[in-house]
Amino acid sequence: MSPIEGRHRVLLTVFLMTASIMQVLDNTIANVALPRVQGALSATQDQMAWVLTSYIVAAAIMTPMAGWLAGRFGRKPIILISIAGFTVASMLCGIAQSLPQMVLQGACGAALVPMSQAVMLDIYPREQLAKAMSIWVTGVTIGPIMGPALGGWLTDNYNWRWVFYINVPFGIIAFLGVLTTLPKSTGKKSPFDFFGFATLSLAVGALQITLDRGQLKDWFNSPEICIEAALSAASFYLFIVHMITTRKTRFVDPSLFKDRNFVAGLVFIFNVGLLLFATLALLPPLLQDLMNYPVVTTGLVTAPRGVGTLLAMLVISRLSKVIDVRMMIGFGFALSAFSAWQMSGFNLQMDMYTVMWSGIAQGCGTGLVFVPLAGVAFATLKSSLRNEGAAMFSLSRNLGSSIGISVVETLLTRNTQKAHASLAQHVTPFSPLIHAQFPGGTPTLQRLSALNAQVTEQAAMIAYNDNFKLMFWLSLAAIPLLLLLRKAGAPRSDEAVVVE
């Protein structure tokens, strides 16, 4: 696909980003409405967990599939089918009377983000790739940030079903827009590698189930988790061996992993997914459960993170031609580390501005990493591999976010228990602080319960701070990995040109 000029490119960008934002927004906007959904459909907690797991697994399996489908049938029909399927699935979720009806949405929307990135890389000329990736990254990152606020507002003022209905008009607009502005693309006939697809799908699906249900089942103390983890590892091993050794058509082209920049990009985007989404998973429960913020207020307090990403986009679009992208990525990780260090000092007496300023700093850091990384990872990759590359790029980011969320939630639960036990050791009848809490005699059961609630809150705050410290060290640890990246030009043909 050749670069497109003028108004045509602007319109296509708008419609592509509408579809992408719709999909990534839905990943977080629906979380706010889940308690209402559970009550309306009379579902148990375990049933809800299985539906969410199925949604994520379906999306994870279909993400790498998007690359092969686009190469076989062309990008345009795959994008249009994905938009139409996601829109119809959203409508069905809105009118759903049972939980299984909600799983289809994850599979339909999986191709939208990687295919929109691949198209953006092609329709913009080489000198404007930084601008193109700035626009794409802004949509991909702002969607999850704005989701909780929008979902809370819709749920409180209308109904939980409107969390899904809101996708319908935007889906129709995106479908008609892409239909009229995206040039036709031809695929090439190639046999389907069923064994490669099956092993990769089984590996990713089993890993997602392990991560989603691990904390619920006490991780490797559960036979279920051990079986799922072993199945994931064995399937991934078979996929790697098959991809390397087979001489027939392979589901994922191994030449993808011969490009050093692309492989380094996968490592970095895995780290970005881990840091960004792990932090997004920590802040809402902290603000709602410990600080007693309403859902809408929580969304508004975390929204300035998107402002930081926008600021980073403006900076990158001006400096990308004069500053080495590796320096920008390094500074972005340093800024993310600084933000995590600020968050590690959170306490129960802080005001909302403390959260907002740290969010702006992290948004800037994420933008400074994500935007140039999305460009440099594909800079030396053959254009014929961009479909598969974009799918693997999104899959790596999604796996990083899944692992990050599972790790921080597990650490939060366990560290809260440890901190509670440590704090409770100091709650004795001989402590002056305890006497100050209960003046005038023996404490009542009600007062003891209130004291235990205070200890639990403080223990949870300590656990949150420990998680933010972990984010700080992971951000710093990512900086030396910049040595893996090359300074590269962005070829427009199948011949990758590397400029040392």
Side-chain angles (χ1 to χ4, degrees):
M1 185 185 296
S2 302
I4 301 174
E5 299 296 334
R7 182 186 299 179
H8 190 180
R9 185 171 64 202
V10 173
L11 289 174
L12 179 54
T13 299
V14 170
F15 295 132
L16 284 173
M17 294 318 302
T18 299
S20 297
I21 292 172
M22 179 179 66
Q23 194 272 334
V24 296
L25 181 69
D26 204 73
N27 288 337
T28 54
I29 190 175
N31 291 339
V32 178
L34 287 180
R36 305 282 182 90
V37 176
Q38 182 178 355
L41 301 182
S42 301
T44 65
Q45 187 66 40
D46 194 56
Q47 287 175 325
M48 291 298 297
W50 269 115
V51 168
L52 291 175
T53 299
S54 301
Y55 177 98
I56 295 171
V57 168
I61 290 174
M62 289 304 298
T63 297
M65 186 68 176
W68 183 87
L69 289 172
R72 176 64 178 83
F73 301 103
R75 290 175 187 159
K76 185 171 183 176
I78 299 306
I79 293 175
L80 289 175
I81 291 172
S82 296
I83 296 174
F86 188 84
T87 304
V88 172
S90 296
M91 184 176 63
L92 293 176
C93 288
I95 62 176
Q97 301 300 318
S98 63
L99 288 173
Q101 292 175 255
M102 296 186 166
V103 179
L104 177 63
Q105 199 181 34
C108 291
L112 292 177
V113 171
M115 288 303 99
S116 67
Q117 183 185 17
V119 173
M120 295 280 283
L121 286 167
D122 279 352
I123 64 175
Y124 280 81
R126 172 178 175 177
E127 62 272 12
Q128 295 187 27
L129 283 184
K131 175 182 177 182
M133 289 300 96
S134 296
I135 297 171
W136 181 78
V137 168
T138 300
V140 171
T141 55
I142 285 183
I145 292 169
M146 296 301 297
L150 182 58
W153 183 79
L154 289 172
T155 304
D156 290 342
N157 291 278
Y158 295 95
N159 187 283
W160 65 266
R161 297 183 185 274
W162 280 98
V163 169
F164 300 102
Y165 287 147
I166 194 175
N167 291 328
V168 177
F170 292 102
I172 294 174
I173 292 172
F175 180 87
L176 295 177
V178 171
L179 178 65
T180 55
T181 58
L182 181 61
K184 291 183 179 179
S185 55
T186 57
K188 56 181 181 180
K189 291 185 178 180
S190 59
F192 181 62
D193 179 13
F194 180 79
F195 185 82
F197 168 72
T199 51
L200 180 59
S201 299
L202 192 58
V204 173
L207 176 62
Q208 287 285 358
I209 295 174
T210 301
L211 295 172
D212 290 342
R213 295 180 59 80
Q215 177 61 27
L216 179 66
K217 296 294 184 178
D218 196 22
W219 291 103
F220 294 103
N221 291 321
S222 165
E224 175 192 328
I225 300 301
C226 291
I227 292 172
E228 290 161 354
L231 185 62
S232 176
S235 300
F236 189 69
Y237 170 77
L238 291 174
F239 169 75
I240 294 294
V241 172
H242 173 74
M243 182 180 66
I244 295 174
T245 59
T246 186
R247 295 182 179 274
K248 300 179 181 179
T249 301
R250 286 157 287 201
F251 182 64
V252 176
D253 193 331
S255 59
L256 274 174
F257 306 103
K258 294 179 182 179
D259 188 294
R260 195 173 83 178
N261 266 20
F262 182 74
V263 173
L266 293 182
V267 174
F268 275 108
I269 201 62
F270 178 89
N271 205 324
V272 170
L274 190 152
L275 295 172
L276 174 63
F277 288 94
T279 305
L280 288 176
L282 288 173
L283 282 177
L286 187 157
L287 297 175
Q288 293 176 41
D289 299 339
L290 298 185
M291 308 294 293
N292 297 318
Y293 282 23
V295 173
V296 177
T297 304
T298 298
L300 294 176
V301 171
T302 55
R305 189 184 309 271
V307 176
T309 303
L310 288 173
L311 292 175
M313 183 190 74
L314 295 175
V315 170
I316 290 171
S317 63
R318 287 169 170 76
L319 298 181
S320 59
K321 297 180 181 179
V322 296
I323 296 180
D324 190 338
V325 293
R326 293 172 293 187
M327 292 184 63
M328 287 192 289
I329 294 174
F331 182 72
F333 273 114
L335 199 55
S336 296
F338 172 73
S339 173
W341 174 76
Q342 285 184 311
M343 294 177 184
S344 67
F346 281 177
N347 58 74
L348 296 176
Q349 286 73 45
M350 65 181 176
D351 56 29
M352 67 175 62
Y353 298 104
T354 303
V355 181
M356 294 169 69
W357 282 115
S358 63
I360 291 175
Q362 189 175 58
C364 287
T366 301
L368 288 172
V369 172
F370 207 158
V371 174
L373 181 61
V376 75
F378 292 85
T380 55
L381 193 67
K382 296 179 181 179
S383 57
S384 60
L385 295 174
R386 281 180 180 159
N387 288 332
E388 293 183 28
M392 297 304 296
F393 195 75
S394 291
L395 179 63
S396 183
R397 176 174 59 88
N398 292 338
L399 290 178
S401 64
S402 296
I403 293 174
I405 291 172
S406 296
V407 168
V408 296
E409 288 183 349
T410 299
L411 291 177
L412 180 64
T413 300
R414 296 186 177 183
N415 289 341
T416 299
Q417 295 171 348
K418 292 180 180 179
H420 188 281
S422 178
L423 292 174
Q425 293 178 355
H426 302 282
V427 181
T428 67
F430 309 103
S431 172
L433 294 177
I434 300 303
H435 285 287
Q437 287 280 334
F438 306 114
T442 304
T444 63
L445 181 60
Q446 183 178 3
R447 288 183 174 181
L448 286 174
S449 298
L451 177 61
N452 182 66
Q454 291 181 15
V455 172
T456 302
E457 287 182 352
Q458 295 295 338
M461 191 71 253
I462 293 172
Y464 277 110
N465 290 342
D466 289 341
N467 273 338
F468 290 132
K469 288 177 183 176
L470 175 62
M471 298 297 105
F472 167 77
W473 288 113
L474 288 177
S475 298
L476 290 182
I479 295 176
L481 296 177
L482 288 171
L483 297 174
L484 298 175
L485 287 174
R486 291 175 177 175
K487 183 179 180 180
R492 304 304 303 174
S493 68
D494 281 356
E495 294 300 323
V497 179
V498 180
V499 181
E500 295 288 356

